[in-house]
PDB file of all heavy atoms in Angstrom:
ATOM      1  N   LYS A   1       4.046 -15.178   6.819  1.00 97.00           N
ATOM      2  CA  LYS A   1       5.346 -15.657   7.299  1.00 97.00           C
ATOM      3  C   LYS A   1       6.515 -15.062   6.523  1.00 97.00           C
ATOM      4  O   LYS A   1       7.589 -14.849   7.093  1.00 97.00           O
ATOM      5  CB  LYS A   1       5.413 -17.188   7.241  1.00 97.00           C
ATOM      6  CG  LYS A   1       4.335 -17.885   8.046  1.00 97.00           C
ATOM      7  CD  LYS A   1       4.416 -17.549   9.512  1.00 97.00           C
ATOM      8  CE  LYS A   1       3.360 -18.323  10.280  1.00 97.00           C
ATOM      9  NZ  LYS A   1       3.145 -17.837  11.616  1.00 97.00           N
ATOM     10  N   VAL A   2       6.339 -14.786   5.241  1.00 97.00           N
ATOM     11  CA  VAL A   2       7.416 -14.170   4.451  1.00 97.00           C
ATOM     12  C   VAL A   2       7.672 -12.761   4.975  1.00 97.00           C
ATOM     13  O   VAL A   2       8.821 -12.378   5.228  1.00 97.00           O
ATOM     14  CB  VAL A   2       7.086 -14.162   2.946  1.00 97.00           C
ATOM     15  CG1 VAL A   2       8.133 -13.389   2.157  1.00 97.00           C
ATOM     16  CG2 VAL A   2       6.945 -15.579   2.414  1.00 97.00           C
ATOM     17  N   ILE A   3       6.622 -11.981   5.165  1.00 97.00           N
ATOM     18  CA  ILE A   3       6.781 -10.618   5.672  1.00 97.00           C
ATOM     19  C   ILE A   3       7.339 -10.635   7.091  1.00 97.00           C
ATOM     20  O   ILE A   3       8.233  -9.850   7.425  1.00 97.00           O
ATOM     21  CB  ILE A   3       5.451  -9.839   5.599  1.00 97.00           C
ATOM     22  CG1 ILE A   3       5.043  -9.624   4.138  1.00 97.00           C
ATOM     23  CG2 ILE A   3       5.569  -8.494   6.323  1.00 97.00           C
ATOM     24  CD1 ILE A   3       3.690  -8.969   3.950  1.00 97.00           C
ATOM     25  N   GLN A   4       6.851 -11.542   7.926  1.00 97.00           N
ATOM     26  CA  GLN A   4       7.329 -11.615   9.306  1.00 97.00           C
ATOM     27  C   GLN A   4       8.811 -11.988   9.400  1.00 97.00           C
ATOM     28  O   GLN A   4       9.452 -11.710  10.403  1.00 97.00           O
ATOM     29  CB  GLN A   4       6.513 -12.633  10.105  1.00 97.00           C
ATOM     30  CG  GLN A   4       5.116 -12.175  10.413  1.00 97.00           C
ATOM     31  CD  GLN A   4       4.325 -13.245  11.158  1.00 97.00           C
ATOM     32  OE1 GLN A   4       4.648 -14.420  11.136  1.00 97.00           O
ATOM     33  NE2 GLN A   4       3.257 -12.817  11.822  1.00 97.00           N
ATOM     34  N   SER A   5       9.355 -12.597   8.356  1.00 97.00           N
ATOM     35  CA  SER A   5      10.740 -13.069   8.412  1.00 97.00           C
ATOM     36  C   SER A   5      11.773 -12.012   8.027  1.00 97.00           C
ATOM     37  O   SER A   5      12.973 -12.274   8.106  1.00 97.00           O
ATOM     38  CB  SER A   5      10.912 -14.300   7.519  1.00 97.00           C
ATOM     39  OG  SER A   5      10.872 -13.938   6.150  1.00 97.00           O
ATOM     40  N   VAL A   6      11.336 -10.833   7.608  1.00 98.00           N
ATOM     41  CA  VAL A   6      12.294  -9.798   7.189  1.00 98.00           C
ATOM     42  C   VAL A   6      12.525  -8.797   8.323  1.00 98.00           C
ATOM     43  O   VAL A   6      11.822  -8.797   9.334  1.00 98.00           O
ATOM     44  CB  VAL A   6      11.845  -9.088   5.889  1.00 98.00           C
ATOM     45  CG1 VAL A   6      11.705 -10.093   4.755  1.00 98.00           C
ATOM     46  CG2 VAL A   6      10.562  -8.306   6.087  1.00 98.00           C
ATOM     47  N   ARG A   7      13.500  -7.937   8.136  1.00 97.00           N
ATOM     48  CA  ARG A   7      13.848  -6.932   9.144  1.00 97.00           C
ATOM     49  C   ARG A   7      12.655  -6.025   9.443  1.00 97.00           C
ATOM     50  O   ARG A   7      11.839  -5.755   8.559  1.00 97.00           O
ATOM     51  CB  ARG A   7      15.015  -6.080   8.653  1.00 97.00           C
ATOM     52  CG  ARG A   7      16.296  -6.833   8.499  1.00 97.00           C
ATOM     53  CD  ARG A   7      17.462  -5.958   8.091  1.00 97.00           C
ATOM     54  NE  ARG A   7      17.138  -4.563   7.826  1.00 97.00           N
ATOM     55  CZ  ARG A   7      17.756  -3.819   6.916  1.00 97.00           C
ATOM     56  NH1 ARG A   7      18.710  -4.324   6.177  1.00 97.00           N
ATOM     57  NH2 ARG A   7      17.428  -2.562   6.745  1.00 97.00           N
ATOM     58  N   PRO A   8      12.555  -5.504  10.668  1.00 97.00           N
ATOM     59  CA  PRO A   8      11.431  -4.635  11.041  1.00 97.00           C
ATOM     60  C   PRO A   8      11.255  -3.419  10.130  1.00 97.00           C
ATOM     61  O   PRO A   8      10.121  -3.044   9.814  1.00 97.00           O
ATOM     62  CB  PRO A   8      11.763  -4.206  12.478  1.00 97.00           C
ATOM     63  CG  PRO A   8      12.596  -5.331  13.004  1.00 97.00           C
ATOM     64  CD  PRO A   8      13.416  -5.806  11.820  1.00 97.00           C
ATOM     65  N   ASP A   9      12.355  -2.795   9.684  1.00 98.00           N
ATOM     66  CA  ASP A   9      12.214  -1.634   8.801  1.00 98.00           C
ATOM     67  C   ASP A   9      11.658  -2.045   7.434  1.00 98.00           C
ATOM     68  O   ASP A   9      10.896  -1.296   6.812  1.00 98.00           O
ATOM     69  CB  ASP A   9      13.515  -0.853   8.658  1.00 98.00           C
ATOM     70  CG  ASP A   9      14.713  -1.695   8.259  1.00 98.00           C
ATOM     71  OD1 ASP A   9      14.695  -2.930   8.456  1.00 98.00           O
ATOM     72  OD2 ASP A   9      15.699  -1.113   7.763  1.00 98.00           O
ATOM     73  N   ALA A  10      11.977  -3.249   6.982  1.00 98.00           N
ATOM     74  CA  ALA A  10      11.413  -3.754   5.723  1.00 98.00           C
ATOM     75  C   ALA A  10       9.940  -4.070   5.891  1.00 98.00           C
ATOM     76  O   ALA A  10       9.130  -3.808   4.989  1.00 98.00           O
ATOM     77  CB  ALA A  10      12.185  -4.984   5.255  1.00 98.00           C
ATOM     78  N   VAL A  11       9.557  -4.627   7.046  1.00 97.00           N
ATOM     79  CA  VAL A  11       8.141  -4.879   7.327  1.00 97.00           C
ATOM     80  C   VAL A  11       7.371  -3.568   7.279  1.00 97.00           C
ATOM     81  O   VAL A  11       6.312  -3.478   6.644  1.00 97.00           O
ATOM     82  CB  VAL A  11       7.948  -5.569   8.702  1.00 97.00           C
ATOM     83  CG1 VAL A  11       6.468  -5.639   9.079  1.00 97.00           C
ATOM     84  CG2 VAL A  11       8.556  -6.958   8.706  1.00 97.00           C
ATOM     85  N   ARG A  12       7.888  -2.541   7.938  1.00 96.00           N
ATOM     86  CA  ARG A  12       7.210  -1.236   7.938  1.00 96.00           C
ATOM     87  C   ARG A  12       7.056  -0.689   6.518  1.00 96.00           C
ATOM     88  O   ARG A  12       6.011  -0.159   6.154  1.00 96.00           O
ATOM     89  CB  ARG A  12       7.958  -0.246   8.826  1.00 96.00           C
ATOM     90  CG  ARG A  12       7.745  -0.498  10.306  1.00 96.00           C
ATOM     91  CD  ARG A  12       8.301   0.643  11.161  1.00 96.00           C
ATOM     92  NE  ARG A  12       9.749   0.789  11.036  1.00 96.00           N
ATOM     93  CZ  ARG A  12      10.636   0.084  11.728  1.00 96.00           C
ATOM     94  NH1 ARG A  12      10.246  -0.813  12.605  1.00 96.00           N
ATOM     95  NH2 ARG A  12      11.932   0.292  11.556  1.00 96.00           N
ATOM     96  N   PHE A  13       8.109  -0.831   5.703  1.00 97.00           N
ATOM     97  CA  PHE A  13       8.031  -0.369   4.314  1.00 97.00           C
ATOM     98  C   PHE A  13       6.928  -1.121   3.569  1.00 97.00           C
ATOM     99  O   PHE A  13       6.091  -0.508   2.909  1.00 97.00           O
ATOM    100  CB  PHE A  13       9.372  -0.549   3.605  1.00 97.00           C
ATOM    101  CG  PHE A  13       9.338  -0.122   2.168  1.00 97.00           C
ATOM    102  CD1 PHE A  13       9.601   1.191   1.824  1.00 97.00           C
ATOM    103  CD2 PHE A  13       9.005  -1.019   1.164  1.00 97.00           C
ATOM    104  CE1 PHE A  13       9.547   1.606   0.495  1.00 97.00           C
ATOM    105  CE2 PHE A  13       8.940  -0.615  -0.164  1.00 97.00           C
ATOM    106  CZ  PHE A  13       9.217   0.699  -0.500  1.00 97.00           C
ATOM    107  N   LEU A  14       6.943  -2.449   3.646  1.00 96.00           N
ATOM    108  CA  LEU A  14       5.934  -3.257   2.938  1.00 96.00           C
ATOM    109  C   LEU A  14       4.525  -2.920   3.410  1.00 96.00           C
ATOM    110  O   LEU A  14       3.608  -2.761   2.592  1.00 96.00           O
ATOM    111  CB  LEU A  14       6.215  -4.747   3.127  1.00 96.00           C
ATOM    112  CG  LEU A  14       7.481  -5.277   2.453  1.00 96.00           C
ATOM    113  CD1 LEU A  14       7.792  -6.684   2.944  1.00 96.00           C
ATOM    114  CD2 LEU A  14       7.348  -5.240   0.942  1.00 96.00           C
ATOM    115  N   GLU A  15       4.342  -2.796   4.720  1.00 95.00           N
ATOM    116  CA  GLU A  15       3.014  -2.466   5.247  1.00 95.00           C
ATOM    117  C   GLU A  15       2.552  -1.088   4.788  1.00 95.00           C
ATOM    118  O   GLU A  15       1.378  -0.891   4.470  1.00 95.00           O
ATOM    119  CB  GLU A  15       3.012  -2.543   6.776  1.00 95.00           C
ATOM    120  CG  GLU A  15       3.084  -3.944   7.306  1.00 95.00           C
ATOM    121  CD  GLU A  15       3.149  -4.014   8.820  1.00 95.00           C
ATOM    122  OE1 GLU A  15       3.452  -2.994   9.489  1.00 95.00           O
ATOM    123  OE2 GLU A  15       2.904  -5.114   9.338  1.00 95.00           O
ATOM    124  N   SER A  16       3.485  -0.134   4.708  1.00 94.00           N
ATOM    125  CA  SER A  16       3.104   1.227   4.315  1.00 94.00           C
ATOM    126  C   SER A  16       2.721   1.321   2.839  1.00 94.00           C
ATOM    127  O   SER A  16       2.001   2.235   2.439  1.00 94.00           O
ATOM    128  CB  SER A  16       4.237   2.208   4.618  1.00 94.00           C
ATOM    129  OG  SER A  16       5.314   2.046   3.702  1.00 94.00           O
ATOM    130  N   ARG A  17       3.184   0.388   2.021  1.00 95.00           N
ATOM    131  CA  ARG A  17       2.906   0.407   0.586  1.00 95.00           C
ATOM    132  C   ARG A  17       1.787  -0.563   0.190  1.00 95.00           C
ATOM    133  O   ARG A  17       1.423  -0.637  -0.972  1.00 95.00           O
ATOM    134  CB  ARG A  17       4.158   0.050  -0.214  1.00 95.00           C
ATOM    135  CG  ARG A  17       5.335   0.969  -0.022  1.00 95.00           C
ATOM    136  CD  ARG A  17       5.010   2.374  -0.511  1.00 95.00           C
ATOM    137  NE  ARG A  17       6.153   3.218  -0.731  1.00 95.00           N
ATOM    138  CZ  ARG A  17       6.861   3.827   0.216  1.00 95.00           C
ATOM    139  NH1 ARG A  17       6.585   3.637   1.474  1.00 95.00           N
ATOM    140  NH2 ARG A  17       7.867   4.620  -0.102  1.00 95.00           N
ATOM    141  N   SER A  18       1.261  -1.315   1.152  1.00 94.00           N
ATOM    142  CA  SER A  18       0.280  -2.351   0.842  1.00 94.00           C
ATOM    143  C   SER A  18      -1.155  -1.864   1.011  1.00 94.00           C
ATOM    144  O   SER A  18      -1.444  -0.998   1.833  1.00 94.00           O
ATOM    145  CB  SER A  18       0.480  -3.561   1.763  1.00 94.00           C
ATOM    146  OG  SER A  18       1.723  -4.163   1.528  1.00 94.00           O
ATOM    147  N   ILE A  19      -2.025  -2.476   0.247  1.00 93.00           N
ATOM    148  CA  ILE A  19      -3.475  -2.324   0.406  1.00 93.00           C
ATOM    149  C   ILE A  19      -3.979  -3.670   0.894  1.00 93.00           C
ATOM    150  O   ILE A  19      -3.700  -4.698   0.280  1.00 93.00           O
ATOM    151  CB  ILE A  19      -4.157  -1.958  -0.923  1.00 93.00           C
ATOM    152  CG1 ILE A  19      -3.652  -0.613  -1.425  1.00 93.00           C
ATOM    153  CG2 ILE A  19      -5.670  -1.975  -0.770  1.00 93.00           C
ATOM    154  CD1 ILE A  19      -4.103  -0.284  -2.839  1.00 93.00           C
ATOM    155  N   VAL A  20      -4.681  -3.668   2.011  1.00 94.00           N
ATOM    156  CA  VAL A  20      -5.187  -4.907   2.585  1.00 94.00           C
ATOM    157  C   VAL A  20      -6.651  -5.061   2.181  1.00 94.00           C
ATOM    158  O   VAL A  20      -7.447  -4.135   2.317  1.00 94.00           O
ATOM    159  CB  VAL A  20      -5.039  -4.911   4.124  1.00 94.00           C
ATOM    160  CG1 VAL A  20      -5.558  -6.211   4.717  1.00 94.00           C
ATOM    161  CG2 VAL A  20      -3.585  -4.693   4.502  1.00 94.00           C
ATOM    162  N   ARG A  21      -6.975  -6.241   1.660  1.00 93.00           N
ATOM    163  CA  ARG A  21      -8.334  -6.519   1.192  1.00 93.00           C
ATOM    164  C   ARG A  21      -8.819  -7.843   1.753  1.00 93.00           C
ATOM    165  O   ARG A  21      -8.044  -8.761   1.963  1.00 93.00           O
ATOM    166  CB  ARG A  21      -8.366  -6.605  -0.331  1.00 93.00           C
ATOM    167  CG  ARG A  21      -7.990  -5.332  -1.030  1.00 93.00           C
ATOM    168  CD  ARG A  21      -8.072  -5.493  -2.532  1.00 93.00           C
ATOM    169  NE  ARG A  21      -7.617  -4.288  -3.182  1.00 93.00           N
ATOM    170  CZ  ARG A  21      -6.990  -4.266  -4.342  1.00 93.00           C
ATOM    171  NH1 ARG A  21      -6.723  -5.386  -4.975  1.00 93.00           N
ATOM    172  NH2 ARG A  21      -6.608  -3.124  -4.879  1.00 93.00           N
ATOM    173  N   ARG A  22     -10.127  -7.916   1.924  1.00 94.00           N
ATOM    174  CA  ARG A  22     -10.763  -9.165   2.342  1.00 94.00           C
ATOM    175  C   ARG A  22     -10.757 -10.142   1.173  1.00 94.00           C
ATOM    176  O   ARG A  22     -10.818  -9.741   0.011  1.00 94.00           O
ATOM    177  CB  ARG A  22     -12.194  -8.917   2.783  1.00 94.00           C
ATOM    178  CG  ARG A  22     -12.289  -8.051   4.004  1.00 94.00           C
ATOM    179  CD  ARG A  22     -13.695  -7.998   4.583  1.00 94.00           C
ATOM    180  NE  ARG A  22     -13.774  -6.976   5.604  1.00 94.00           N
ATOM    181  CZ  ARG A  22     -13.232  -7.055   6.806  1.00 94.00           C
ATOM    182  NH1 ARG A  22     -12.565  -8.127   7.143  1.00 94.00           N
ATOM    183  NH2 ARG A  22     -13.331  -6.074   7.684  1.00 94.00           N
ATOM    184  N   LEU A  23     -10.705 -11.412   1.508  1.00 95.00           N
ATOM    185  CA  LEU A  23     -10.807 -12.484   0.519  1.00 95.00           C
ATOM    186  C   LEU A  23     -12.122 -13.215   0.773  1.00 95.00           C
ATOM    187  O   LEU A  23     -12.382 -13.624   1.908  1.00 95.00           O
ATOM    188  CB  LEU A  23      -9.641 -13.474   0.672  1.00 95.00           C
ATOM    189  CG  LEU A  23      -8.231 -12.916   0.542  1.00 95.00           C
ATOM    190  CD1 LEU A  23      -7.205 -13.988   0.910  1.00 95.00           C
ATOM    191  CD2 LEU A  23      -7.991 -12.400  -0.869  1.00 95.00           C
ATOM    192  N   THR A  24     -12.928 -13.381  -0.252  1.00 96.00           N
ATOM    193  CA  THR A  24     -14.183 -14.105  -0.107  1.00 96.00           C
ATOM    194  C   THR A  24     -14.103 -15.418  -0.883  1.00 96.00           C
ATOM    195  O   THR A  24     -13.476 -15.486  -1.944  1.00 96.00           O
ATOM    196  CB  THR A  24     -15.379 -13.277  -0.603  1.00 96.00           C
ATOM    197  OG1 THR A  24     -15.167 -12.910  -1.970  1.00 96.00           O
ATOM    198  CG2 THR A  24     -15.544 -12.008   0.220  1.00 96.00           C
ATOM    199  N   GLN A  25     -14.720 -16.445  -0.339  1.00 97.00           N
ATOM    200  CA  GLN A  25     -14.658 -17.762  -0.966  1.00 97.00           C
ATOM    201  C   GLN A  25     -15.179 -17.702  -2.398  1.00 97.00           C
ATOM    202  O   GLN A  25     -16.197 -17.094  -2.677  1.00 97.00           O
ATOM    203  CB  GLN A  25     -15.474 -18.773  -0.171  1.00 97.00           C
ATOM    204  CG  GLN A  25     -15.297 -20.191  -0.671  1.00 97.00           C
ATOM    205  CD  GLN A  25     -15.929 -21.199   0.268  1.00 97.00           C
ATOM    206  OE1 GLN A  25     -16.630 -20.859   1.191  1.00 97.00           O
ATOM    207  NE2 GLN A  25     -15.656 -22.462   0.002  1.00 97.00           N
ATOM    208  N   GLY A  26     -14.415 -18.311  -3.307  1.00 95.00           N
ATOM    209  CA  GLY A  26     -14.786 -18.347  -4.721  1.00 95.00           C
ATOM    210  C   GLY A  26     -14.302 -17.152  -5.523  1.00 95.00           C
ATOM    211  O   GLY A  26     -14.401 -17.146  -6.753  1.00 95.00           O
ATOM    212  N   GLN A  27     -13.775 -16.152  -4.864  1.00 95.00           N
ATOM    213  CA  GLN A  27     -13.293 -14.941  -5.529  1.00 95.00           C
ATOM    214  C   GLN A  27     -12.094 -15.270  -6.420  1.00 95.00           C
ATOM    215  O   GLN A  27     -11.200 -16.013  -6.035  1.00 95.00           O
ATOM    216  CB  GLN A  27     -12.896 -13.924  -4.451  1.00 95.00           C
ATOM    217  CG  GLN A  27     -12.283 -12.647  -4.947  1.00 95.00           C
ATOM    218  CD  GLN A  27     -11.858 -11.753  -3.782  1.00 95.00           C
ATOM    219  OE1 GLN A  27     -11.926 -12.127  -2.610  1.00 95.00           O
ATOM    220  NE2 GLN A  27     -11.394 -10.563  -4.111  1.00 95.00           N
ATOM    221  N   THR A  28     -12.099 -14.714  -7.623  1.00 92.00           N
ATOM    222  CA  THR A  28     -10.952 -14.819  -8.517  1.00 92.00           C
ATOM    223  C   THR A  28     -10.090 -13.586  -8.303  1.00 92.00           C
ATOM    224  O   THR A  28     -10.584 -12.460  -8.346  1.00 92.00           O
ATOM    225  CB  THR A  28     -11.402 -14.893  -9.990  1.00 92.00           C
ATOM    226  OG1 THR A  28     -12.211 -16.054 -10.164  1.00 92.00           O
ATOM    227  CG2 THR A  28     -10.207 -14.962 -10.930  1.00 92.00           C
ATOM    228  N   LEU A  29      -8.810 -13.805  -8.061  1.00 89.00           N
ATOM    229  CA  LEU A  29      -7.888 -12.703  -7.830  1.00 89.00           C
ATOM    230  C   LEU A  29      -7.146 -12.400  -9.118  1.00 89.00           C
ATOM    231  O   LEU A  29      -6.610 -13.297  -9.753  1.00 89.00           O
ATOM    232  CB  LEU A  29      -6.890 -13.060  -6.731  1.00 89.00           C
ATOM    233  CG  LEU A  29      -7.502 -13.444  -5.390  1.00 89.00           C
ATOM    234  CD1 LEU A  29      -6.412 -13.825  -4.406  1.00 89.00           C
ATOM    235  CD2 LEU A  29      -8.349 -12.315  -4.838  1.00 89.00           C
ATOM    236  N   TYR A  30      -7.128 -11.143  -9.474  1.00 73.00           N
ATOM    237  CA  TYR A  30      -6.431 -10.720 -10.674  1.00 73.00           C
ATOM    238  C   TYR A  30      -5.076 -10.177 -10.272  1.00 73.00           C
ATOM    239  O   TYR A  30      -4.919  -9.548  -9.239  1.00 73.00           O
ATOM    240  CB  TYR A  30      -7.257  -9.683 -11.425  1.00 73.00           C
ATOM    241  CG  TYR A  30      -8.566 -10.265 -11.858  1.00 73.00           C
ATOM    242  CD1 TYR A  30      -9.725 -10.049 -11.125  1.00 73.00           C
ATOM    243  CD2 TYR A  30      -8.637 -11.085 -12.974  1.00 73.00           C
ATOM    244  CE1 TYR A  30     -10.918 -10.622 -11.506  1.00 73.00           C
ATOM    245  CE2 TYR A  30      -9.830 -11.670 -13.360  1.00 73.00           C
ATOM    246  CZ  TYR A  30     -10.972 -11.432 -12.623  1.00 73.00           C
ATOM    247  OH  TYR A  30     -12.147 -12.011 -12.996  1.00 73.00           O
ATOM    248  N   GLN A  31      -4.078 -10.409 -11.090  1.00 63.00           N
ATOM    249  CA  GLN A  31      -2.693 -10.176 -10.734  1.00 63.00           C
ATOM    250  C   GLN A  31      -2.245  -8.773 -11.102  1.00 63.00           C
ATOM    251  O   GLN A  31      -1.425  -8.598 -11.973  1.00 63.00           O
ATOM    252  CB  GLN A  31      -1.820 -11.221 -11.441  1.00 63.00           C
ATOM    253  CG  GLN A  31      -0.439 -11.338 -10.885  1.00 63.00           C
ATOM    254  CD  GLN A  31      -0.443 -11.963  -9.507  1.00 63.00           C
ATOM    255  OE1 GLN A  31      -1.189 -12.875  -9.242  1.00 63.00           O
ATOM    256  NE2 GLN A  31       0.392 -11.461  -8.648  1.00 63.00           N
ATOM    257  N   GLU A  32      -2.767  -7.772 -10.407  1.00 61.00           N
ATOM    258  CA  GLU A  32      -2.274  -6.429 -10.655  1.00 61.00           C
ATOM    259  C   GLU A  32      -1.123  -6.082  -9.727  1.00 61.00           C
ATOM    260  O   GLU A  32      -0.517  -5.034  -9.850  1.00 61.00           O
ATOM    261  CB  GLU A  32      -3.402  -5.392 -10.509  1.00 61.00           C
ATOM    262  CG  GLU A  32      -3.773  -5.043  -9.096  1.00 61.00           C
ATOM    263  CD  GLU A  32      -4.805  -5.962  -8.451  1.00 61.00           C
ATOM    264  OE1 GLU A  32      -5.176  -6.981  -9.039  1.00 61.00           O
ATOM    265  OE2 GLU A  32      -5.229  -5.654  -7.337  1.00 61.00           O
ATOM    266  N   ALA A  33      -0.841  -6.962  -8.802  1.00 73.00           N
ATOM    267  CA  ALA A  33       0.216  -6.711  -7.822  1.00 73.00           C
ATOM    268  C   ALA A  33       0.578  -8.030  -7.148  1.00 73.00           C
ATOM    269  O   ALA A  33      -0.079  -9.034  -7.342  1.00 73.00           O
ATOM    270  CB  ALA A  33      -0.280  -5.708  -6.779  1.00 73.00           C
ATOM    271  N   GLU A  34       1.628  -7.972  -6.376  1.00 84.00           N
ATOM    272  CA  GLU A  34       2.028  -9.123  -5.558  1.00 84.00           C
ATOM    273  C   GLU A  34       1.046  -9.237  -4.401  1.00 84.00           C
ATOM    274  O   GLU A  34       0.626  -8.236  -3.844  1.00 84.00           O
ATOM    275  CB  GLU A  34       3.435  -8.867  -5.033  1.00 84.00           C
ATOM    276  CG  GLU A  34       4.185 -10.071  -4.653  1.00 84.00           C
ATOM    277  CD  GLU A  34       4.747 -10.832  -5.831  1.00 84.00           C
ATOM    278  OE1 GLU A  34       4.889 -10.283  -6.922  1.00 84.00           O
ATOM    279  OE2 GLU A  34       5.065 -11.997  -5.635  1.00 84.00           O
ATOM    280  N   GLN A  35       0.673 -10.444  -4.027  1.00 90.00           N
ATOM    281  CA  GLN A  35      -0.314 -10.629  -2.969  1.00 90.00           C
ATOM    282  C   GLN A  35       0.251 -11.519  -1.871  1.00 90.00           C
ATOM    283  O   GLN A  35       0.687 -12.631  -2.142  1.00 90.00           O
ATOM    284  CB  GLN A  35      -1.585 -11.263  -3.542  1.00 90.00           C
ATOM    285  CG  GLN A  35      -2.232 -10.396  -4.596  1.00 90.00           C
ATOM    286  CD  GLN A  35      -3.144 -11.189  -5.513  1.00 90.00           C
ATOM    287  OE1 GLN A  35      -3.516 -12.303  -5.232  1.00 90.00           O
ATOM    288  NE2 GLN A  35      -3.504 -10.582  -6.639  1.00 90.00           N
ATOM    289  N   PHE A  36       0.227 -11.006  -0.644  1.00 94.00           N
ATOM    290  CA  PHE A  36       0.686 -11.747   0.524  1.00 94.00           C
ATOM    291  C   PHE A  36      -0.534 -12.127   1.341  1.00 94.00           C
ATOM    292  O   PHE A  36      -1.246 -11.255   1.842  1.00 94.00           O
ATOM    293  CB  PHE A  36       1.627 -10.894   1.380  1.00 94.00           C
ATOM    294  CG  PHE A  36       2.936 -10.593   0.716  1.00 94.00           C
ATOM    295  CD1 PHE A  36       3.084  -9.474  -0.092  1.00 94.00           C
ATOM    296  CD2 PHE A  36       4.022 -11.435   0.890  1.00 94.00           C
ATOM    297  CE1 PHE A  36       4.290  -9.192  -0.703  1.00 94.00           C
ATOM    298  CE2 PHE A  36       5.237 -11.163   0.281  1.00 94.00           C
ATOM    299  CZ  PHE A  36       5.367 -10.045  -0.521  1.00 94.00           C
ATOM    300  N   THR A  37      -0.780 -13.415   1.490  1.00 94.00           N
ATOM    301  CA  THR A  37      -1.928 -13.884   2.248  1.00 94.00           C
ATOM    302  C   THR A  37      -1.605 -13.839   3.737  1.00 94.00           C
ATOM    303  O   THR A  37      -0.544 -14.292   4.151  1.00 94.00           O
ATOM    304  CB  THR A  37      -2.287 -15.331   1.843  1.00 94.00           C
ATOM    305  OG1 THR A  37      -2.425 -15.380   0.428  1.00 94.00           O
ATOM    306  CG2 THR A  37      -3.569 -15.781   2.492  1.00 94.00           C
TER     307      THR A  37
END
């Protein structure tokens, strides 16, 4: 919802710089970057 609420050109920028990963139950996430669920 945070990403969806910004301008389309900002969405494209964020998507182009992001790595999308699966989340598995019980997984500990380490903070090497900002994470958008």
Side-chain angles (χ1 to χ4, degrees):
K1 302 299 183 194
V2 174
I3 294 175
Q4 288 178 340
S5 72
V6 301
R7 294 183 356 213
D9 52 339
V11 172
R12 285 190 297 276
F13 179 88
L14 292 169
E15 288 177 343
S16 73
R17 300 296 197 283
S18 295
I19 297 171
V20 181
R21 297 181 184 147
R22 295 190 190 288
L23 302 172
T24 57
Q25 188 171 9
Q27 176 183 6
T28 299
L29 303 178
Y30 298 98
Q31 196 70 39
E32 77 274 7
E34 203 78 20
Q35 299 159 15
F36 292 89
T37 308

